[in-house]
Amino acid sequence: MTNPQALFQRSRQQSAQGDLKGAVETLRALSAVLSHPLVHSIMGDLLREMCETESALQCYQRAYELSGNDAYRLRGALTLPPIMTSRASNTANRSRMAESLQRLLAGGIHIEDPVKMIPHLAFHLAYHGENDRDLQRLIARVIASACPVLQYTAPHVPTWNGVKGDKIEVVFVSSYLKNHTIGRLNRELIRLLDRERFRVT
């Protein structure tokens, strides 16, 4: 009998080595002997990176069917190919995303730990050259509905008048503010903020 643990480890090694296609094939073999949502979820993540969006969506759907975990439905809704093949596919994928999110909002969704269960949001929207405001607002509404605790407001906030002084406080938080694309893109933005008007952290 095929060893599920060995197959899982092989798929991880293949993925780490950049052999995404091989990793997917190994996971498909694993899914034949182990019907587990994690297997389909990982396979969906790999297929998404390979621009095989429809297959990725099928994997997320199967993970949801096996677990009943709404997080997999949201993963599917947020799935976009990293590379768009045309303006038409760009429009179609954005429309599918909006419709999927609207369905989740209308039907109700619950996610216990979105940080753990939703490893990707809609990062690839930034590459489309479109106005993403409405889609990002819709994503925020779905996540707030799925996990209401994220809406928590500390008791002191409504009556807080801010720090004394007339400067506006701006805080940048990222683990990539270093020799990384995000750090390089934002370095000058941060440096050039007028310190007479802003207190920058």
Side-chain angles (χ1 to χ4, degrees), residues 60 88 139 168:
Y60 293 134
I139 292 167
I168 299 169

Side-chain angles (χ1 to χ4, degrees), residues 3 14 37 43 46 49 57 68 80 116 127 155 158 181 188 196:
N3 183 336
Q14 290 169 311
M43 195 165 18
L46 293 172
E49 290 302 312
L57 294 175
L80 290 170
K116 178 181 178 182
Y127 298 131
T181 304
E188 288 301 286
E196 295 298 316

Side-chain angles (χ1 to χ4, degrees), residues 73-80 97 101 118 120-122 139:
R73 295 167 65 205
L74 183 55
R75 282 196 198 189
L78 294 173
T79 292
L80 290 170
M97 174 183 275
L101 290 167
I118 311 298
H120 66 269
L121 290 175
I139 292 167

Side-chain angles (χ1 to χ4, degrees), residues 18-182:
D19 181 12
L20 303 189
K21 186 175 181 180
V24 167
E25 290 307 313
T26 301
L27 288 169
R28 284 197 173 116
L30 176 57
S31 70
V33 295
L34 179 66
S35 192
H36 194 283
L38 184 61
V39 174
H40 294 277
S41 169
I42 295 171
M43 195 165 18
D45 292 343
L46 293 172
L47 288 162
R48 180 177 61 88
E49 290 302 312
M50 294 164 61
C51 294
E52 295 186 26
T53 306
E54 289 305 316
S55 296
L57 294 175
Q58 291 170 12
C59 287
Y60 293 134
Q61 177 61 27
R62 183 61 181 145
Y64 170 67
E65 291 168 358
L66 289 170
S67 66
N69 190 329
D70 285 332
Y72 296 121
R73 295 167 65 205
L74 183 55
R75 282 196 198 189
L78 294 173
T79 292
L80 290 170
I83 302 169
M84 292 293 180
T85 56
S86 66
R87 283 194 176 274
S89 71
N90 191 17
T91 301
N93 275 286
R94 291 172 72 91
S95 295
R96 179 193 57 76
M97 174 183 275
E99 291 165 8
S100 298
L101 290 167
Q102 291 285 8
R103 281 197 299 273
L104 290 176
L105 200 56
I109 178 174
H110 175 74
I111 299 174
E112 191 68 34
D113 186 348
V115 174
K116 178 181 178 182
M117 292 303 299
I118 311 298
H120 66 269
L121 290 175
F123 183 80
H124 295 127
L125 285 175
Y127 298 131
H128 296 173
E130 305 283 348
N131 186 338
D132 300 327
R133 185 187 64 178
D134 290 342
L135 270 174
Q136 294 287 12
R137 282 182 170 178
L138 181 55
I139 292 167
R141 287 173 61 203
V142 171
I143 293 175
S145 174
C147 191
V149 72
L150 293 174
Q151 299 287 83
Y152 171 79
T153 301
H156 72 279
V157 169
T159 57
W160 188 61
N161 293 318
V163 178
K164 290 181 180 179
D166 56 358
K167 288 185 181 180
I168 299 169
E169 184 157 8
V170 182
V171 180
F172 295 87
V173 181
S174 173
S175 58
Y176 299 110
L177 294 177
K178 52 188 177 183
N179 189 23
H180 181 278
T181 304
I182 299 301

